[in-house]
C-alpha cells in the first residue's frame, strides 16, 4: 500500500491523478481481495488490479468513477498486469473505501 504521509510536495506533484470510469470488474481466481478492473480514461483504456474485493463485489464497481494514479510503472499481481493504482481511504475496520465524486466528471480529467 502506498503511504502518502511522508511524501514531499514535489513528489506529490509528480503523481498523475485522474478520474477513471470502471467498465468491467472481475475477481482474480485464488484471491478474496484482488479485483481486475478495466477502466477508461476517456481516450485510453487500461487494466488495474486492486485489493478491494473484500469490501466491494465486482458488479458494484462497474460504472463507478474512481480516482487513480495513472503514471506508475506497470506491475504484475497474481500474473495480471496492473497499469495504475486506485485511491481509497480505510474505514474503522481497515476496509478500503473508494474515493468518490459528488457529480459526474469526464473520464481522464486530471485532478489538480
Amino acid at each position: 500500500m502506498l503511504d502518502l504521509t511522508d511524501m514531499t510536495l514535489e513528489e506529490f506533484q509528480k503523481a498523475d491523478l485522474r478520474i477513471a470510469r470502471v467498465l468491467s470488474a472481475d475477481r482474480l481466481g485464488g484471491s478474496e481481495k484482488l479485483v481486475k478492473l478495466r477502466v477508461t480514461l476517456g481516450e485510453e483504456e487500461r487494466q488495474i488490479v486492486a485489493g478491494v474485493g473484500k469490501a466491494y463485489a465486482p458488479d458494484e464497481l462497474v460504472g463507478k468513477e474512481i480516482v487513480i494514479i495513472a503514471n506508475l510503472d506497470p506491475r504484475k499481481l497474481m500474473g495480471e498486469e496492473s497499469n495504475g493504482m486506485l485511491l481509497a481511504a480505510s474505514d474503522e475496520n481497515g476496509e478500503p473505501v473508494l474515493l468518490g465524486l459528488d457529480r459526474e466528471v469526464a473520464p481522464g480529467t486530471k485532478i489538480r
Side-chain angles (χ1 to χ4, degrees):
M1 183 171 352
L2 181 64
D3 184 355
L4 302 177
T5 57
D6 294 325
M7 186 179 281
T8 67
L9 178 60
E10 291 77 21
E11 290 168 330
F12 180 76
Q13 288 173 328
K14 291 178 186 176
D16 184 9
L17 301 175
R18 294 189 182 247
I19 302 302
R21 182 171 294 129
V22 180
L23 301 173
S24 65
D26 298 292
R27 288 198 187 279
L28 282 183
S31 175
E32 295 178 355
K33 191 171 152 183
L34 294 179
V35 177
K36 179 172 62 171
L37 306 171
R38 187 90 191 139
V39 302
T40 181
L41 296 171
E43 297 180 9
E44 174 190 358
E45 289 185 15
R46 55 172 74 184
Q47 178 173 287
I48 294 176
V49 177
V52 297
K54 285 189 172 184
Y56 296 92
D59 62 336
E60 284 183 88
L61 297 168
V62 176
K64 283 197 180 292
E65 290 180 331
I66 60 173
V67 179
I68 70 164
I69 302 175
N71 61 334
L72 297 176
D73 290 335
R75 184 166 191 187
K76 287 256 187 188
L77 298 166
M78 291 191 66
E80 295 286 344
E81 186 169 274
S82 185
N83 290 289
M85 177 185 291
L86 68 77
L87 296 182
S90 293
D91 69 12
E92 62 277 355
N93 298 316
E95 296 293 324
V97 178
L98 298 177
L99 301 184
L101 306 171
D102 66 351
R103 63 179 182 218
E104 193 171 310
V105 176
T109 300
K110 286 189 79 130
I111 296 173
R112 303 183 239 179

